[in-house]
Amino acid sequence: MTRTEQTQTGCFITLEGSEGVGKSTNLAFIQQWLTEQGHRSVVTREPGGTPMAEEIRELLLAQREESVGEKTELLLMFAARAQHLHQKILPALAQGCCVVSDRFTDATYAYQGYARGLNLGWIEQLEQLVQEQLRPDLTFLLDMPTEIAQQRVTKRGTTDRFEQEQTRFFETVRQGYLTRAKQEPERFAVINAGQSINKVQQDIAGVLARFFV
Ligand code: TMP
């Protein structure tokens, strides 16, 4: 989809991928690109993005002795998202800003749906309840072989509750994302994140330029 096909409110861009694929660096690149092209942007992340949603993020990411139920995790993700939408994303879009979110509901499908094995139909129902008509206009999926991404995470040192999962979990996350990208090729731009950073950013800039024609 290109920007011209949409309504005149702001645009909603999301950045997705498994751990270690370089989301932070490329998020900064997207923000810089938008600023240089004269677009007002708000950069945010999930879970999180508002003080209360960041508190829910802490609950979700903390390593703890108590085992966290899969449905607990799913509902907390959507609780954080509901607050994020109400408090930050929807007001920014209404003001005509481009909202760029480091992860959104595709992550819930990939992690809680495909990787944890929760029913995808439940996720669809929660998505409808919390987001109503809102869906991202453009989603970048940074993709690279799981083992290489995992080596990068290991090098970073500290691990949160998700990063402690095994390679098989992240391979399922990756395949879940790729499945979603195949289902919605219009919305997704799959970027080969295993290339040099220059090439990755050239590819991202190309997609953005086509989106904003
Ligand atoms: P981050 O490290 O990319 O900020 O994301 C925090 C973790 O939360 C990451 O391991 C992916 C996970 N996550 C989900 O499991 N479901 C979701 O819906 C979101 C947004 C993130």
Side-chain angles (χ1 to χ4, degrees):
M1 180 188 273
T2 64
R3 178 80 191 98
T4 43
E5 292 167 42
Q6 302 166 52
T7 57
Q8 286 312 296
T9 53
C11 63
F12 186 27
I13 299 175
T14 58
L15 186 58
E16 298 281 0
S18 194
E19 334 284 309
V21 296
K23 279 189 299 101
S24 308
T25 314
N26 290 305
L27 191 75
F29 174 78
I30 293 170
Q31 183 177 26
Q32 190 192 338
W33 189 95
L34 290 171
T35 306
E36 282 170 8
Q37 303 293 317
H39 301 284
R40 282 183 302 143
S41 63
V42 169
V43 173
T44 189
R45 69 170 179 181
E46 288 218 343
T50 79
M52 183 177 171
E54 289 288 331
E55 285 182 37
I56 300 174
R57 177 189 176 91
E58 281 175 29
L59 286 177
L60 278 160
L61 266 52
Q63 301 195 34
R64 59 181 80 240
E65 300 231 321
E66 179 180 352
S67 133
V68 179
E70 286 148 1
K71 291 178 184 170
T72 313
E73 192 176 276
L74 175 68
L75 291 169
L76 283 173
M77 288 295 174
F78 271 105
R81 184 161 301 136
Q83 184 63 13
H84 190 201
L85 280 166
H86 164 74
Q87 196 64 25
K88 190 165 182 182
I89 297 179
L90 294 175
L93 290 175
Q95 287 175 11
C97 287
C98 270
V99 175
V100 187
S101 187
D102 180 348
R103 298 194 188 281
F104 195 62
T105 306
D106 292 303
T108 314
Y109 281 97
Y111 283 78
Q112 281 67 51
Y114 287 94
R116 296 269 194 241
L118 285 175
N119 186 322
L120 299 179
W122 294 342
I123 301 177
E124 273 172 30
Q125 285 178 14
L126 289 166
E127 181 179 38
Q128 192 57 36
L129 170 74
V130 168
Q131 296 167 220
E132 299 182 5
Q133 302 314 313
L134 184 77
R135 300 290 181 276
D137 300 305
L138 170 65
T139 298
F140 286 101
L141 173 56
L142 298 179
D143 180 64
M144 67 162 65
T146 302
E147 287 192 358
I148 300 174
Q150 282 294 286
Q151 284 164 14
R152 293 197 192 181
V153 174
T154 311
K155 270 196 201 142
R156 286 205 299 239
T158 53
T159 50
D160 63 36
R161 197 170 58 78
F162 287 93
E163 289 167 347
Q164 282 188 313
E165 295 289 344
Q166 303 302 308
T167 304
R168 189 148 41 92
F169 177 88
F170 293 109
E171 183 54 27
T172 320
V173 167
R174 181 186 185 203
Q175 294 308 328
Y177 271 131
L178 289 171
T179 302
R180 289 198 52 80
K182 273 203 200 106
Q183 289 166 344
E184 287 186 65
E186 277 259 294
R187 171 167 69 90
F188 273 91
V190 181
I191 304 290
N192 174 359
Q195 310 173 97
S196 70
I197 186 71
N198 282 347
K199 186 72 181 68
V200 168
Q201 294 184 345
Q202 252 177 35
D203 287 357
I204 291 175
V207 172
L208 287 169
R210 285 194 294 280
F211 179 72
F212 282 102
V213 284

